[in-house]
Amino acid sequence: MRAPGARRLRALAFVAALGAVTAFTARRPPGGAAQDAVPRNAARGTHPPGAAEGAVPGGGRSGGRADVAEDAEGSDARRTAPGTRLWDWAELFRVSALFTVPGDALAGAAATGRGPGRGTFLAIGSSLCLYHAGMALNDWADRDEDAVDRPHRPLPSGRISPAAALTAAGALTATGLALAARAGRAPLALATTLAATVWAYDLRLKHTAAGPAAMATARALDLVLGATATRPRALAAALPHAALLGAHTYAVTTVSRNETRGGSSTAPLAALVTTTAIAAVTTDAARTLRRLRTSGRPPAATTRHGAGGGRRARPAAPPTARPPDLPQAMTALASAVYAGTALTPYLHAALNPSPPLTQRAVGGGIRAMIPLQAALAARSGSGASAAAVLALGPVARRIARKVSPT
């Protein structure tokens, strides 16, 4: 029998791990950590768990743009200064991106009707490993392209060898599958499918028409992984929320394909419509409208017998207003943050599809991932999980200023 405080201790350990990463990334490495000077290619705007980069708040050039001379100087300083190799790996893995991962499993767990447990935290660990495996694999696959576009990145600059990056991708994938296996057979099957999607995307599908669908599939699988790790037979319960998360990922990825050249209003307009529909679903807008229509109607009258045996109408007592509970309040808050984060940048990009506005639209869609996860968790009745996920947003934005998520 587990001790009564075992679940609480696991939660505290997880929070402590995130805090350690936050403390580490809050420091700039010796010699200055120059941020990416050249934007990635159009096909690399957003990536789901393990599918390389970007599905994290503050995507794009969060830390600003350094000139080539400054970046080269920073790279030399990092290469020679002691104790900076850990920072090189943090840059390769885009450690700021890890804050977008736990929300998938927590939203999946909430869809099962249960609170996070041992399996949920194993799923989070598995997702983190597969996510960062995809990061390393992405840079390994694009090392020749990065040598031209972004020579300051860890692989083309020589700070990390291609062989080391590929080995790390393989080791992290194996670790992610091992953690999923500890959670059960169903989570292992889903993690294996997720890992296959990650590797297929990075090595083959990224620059094809199937790229957005592959990333949407990976993000949806990650949510279902958290659900089955929490409750093995909860696949069906998690599918609706997985579809919403996948639809959002697909929309952002489609916009990202034009982020370096712009010129297309179709993708941001479609993303605008998709985001509006997702926000309406998460807040149960149809039910809210029905309540508003009936709120102005007079209450139905009741009857009672009078002294002469007749009946006379008596107005019904007005219904008493009940304050919303935590899940309802968190659903409304998270959905509002989600819509507010994504809709305005999409609208600007649709009206003027220039590269800067398109990049802002991609960043808005990426930042909206966390409040969407929180809204899905709250919609399932888990207000505490929603609050925990929503709290990751400001932290992720801060860390993204130190380590670029793309």
Side-chain angles (χ1 to χ4, degrees):
M1 176 180 291
R2 296 188 182 92
R7 182 177 298 178
R8 183 177 300 176
L9 289 175
R10 286 196 298 269
L12 290 175
F14 177 70
V15 172
L18 288 181
V21 173
T22 303
F24 169 73
T25 52
R27 299 180 297 107
R28 287 188 178 274
Q35 296 294 330
D36 297 336
V38 183
R40 302 290 272 186
N41 61 70
R44 293 193 225 167
T46 57
H47 296 253
E53 39 185 316
V56 53
R61 302 281 72 76
S62 302
R65 295 173 185 258
D67 57 34
V68 176
E70 179 184 357
D71 187 75
E73 181 181 355
S75 297
D76 291 339
R78 286 195 301 272
R79 208 174 299 153
T80 57
T84 59
R85 185 164 179 79
L86 184 60
W87 183 271
D88 295 336
W89 282 100
E91 186 180 349
L92 177 70
F93 291 140
R94 326 302 203 271
V95 293
S96 60
L98 69 87
F99 294 95
T100 191
V101 178
D104 287 343
L106 291 176
T112 69
R114 295 182 180 177
R118 172 180 176 272
T120 310
F121 290 104
L122 287 172
I124 292 175
S126 176
S127 298
L128 287 169
C129 290
L130 295 178
Y131 193 107
H132 293 312
M135 299 282 191
L137 184 64
N138 177 80
D139 278 21
W140 180 85
D142 292 340
R143 61 192 184 280
D144 293 335
E145 188 175 321
D146 285 345
V148 177
D149 292 340
R150 299 171 77 185
H152 54 280
R153 291 291 302 157
L155 264 64
S157 66
R159 289 179 282 139
I160 295 177
S161 68
L166 183 60
T167 301
L172 284 168
T173 299
T175 303
L177 294 178
L179 289 172
R182 293 287 303 275
R185 292 183 179 179
L188 175 60
L190 283 164
T192 303
T193 307
L194 174 57
T197 305
V198 168
W199 283 70
Y201 174 84
D202 281 333
L203 299 180
R204 178 66 179 173
L205 302 178
K206 183 187 310 180
H207 302 293
T208 70
M215 284 199 285
T217 300
R219 185 57 90 164
L221 285 171
D222 199 45
L223 187 146
V224 177
L225 172 61
T228 56
T230 305
R231 186 179 176 188
R233 297 183 180 180
L235 177 62
L239 288 180
H241 287 179
L244 291 174
L245 194 61
H248 173 80
T249 304
Y250 188 97
V252 180
T253 306
T254 304
V255 176
S256 74
R257 296 204 150 199
N258 298 310
E259 66 177 335
T260 58
R261 59 180 182 269
S264 173
S265 296
T266 304
L269 186 59
L272 181 71
V273 174
T274 301
T275 301
T276 303
I278 293 174
V281 170
T282 56
T283 54
D284 292 326
R287 183 182 303 175
T288 302
L289 289 175
R290 287 196 297 269
R291 289 176 180 174
L292 290 175
R293 291 193 190 103
T294 59
S295 61
R297 297 177 183 174
T302 59
T303 61
R304 66 177 181 180
H305 293 283
R311 296 186 178 184
R312 59 180 179 178
R314 182 181 65 177
T320 57
R322 187 179 64 177
D325 56 14
L326 179 59
Q328 290 176 330
M330 288 304 304
T331 301
L333 174 62
S335 297
V337 174
Y338 166 67
T341 302
L343 288 179
T344 300
Y346 284 155
L347 179 60
H348 290 168
L351 295 175
N352 179 14
S354 62
L357 291 182
T358 303
Q359 291 166 12
R360 290 181 186 178
V362 174
I366 293 171
R367 289 191 299 272
M369 189 72 69
I370 284 180
L372 175 57
Q373 294 165 340
L376 294 176
R379 189 169 182 260
S380 298
S382 182
S385 292
V389 172
L390 201 59
L392 295 177
V395 180
R397 187 176 294 109
R398 178 185 176 186
I399 301 304
R401 298 191 186 105
K402 305 295 182 180
V403 179
S404 175
T406 61

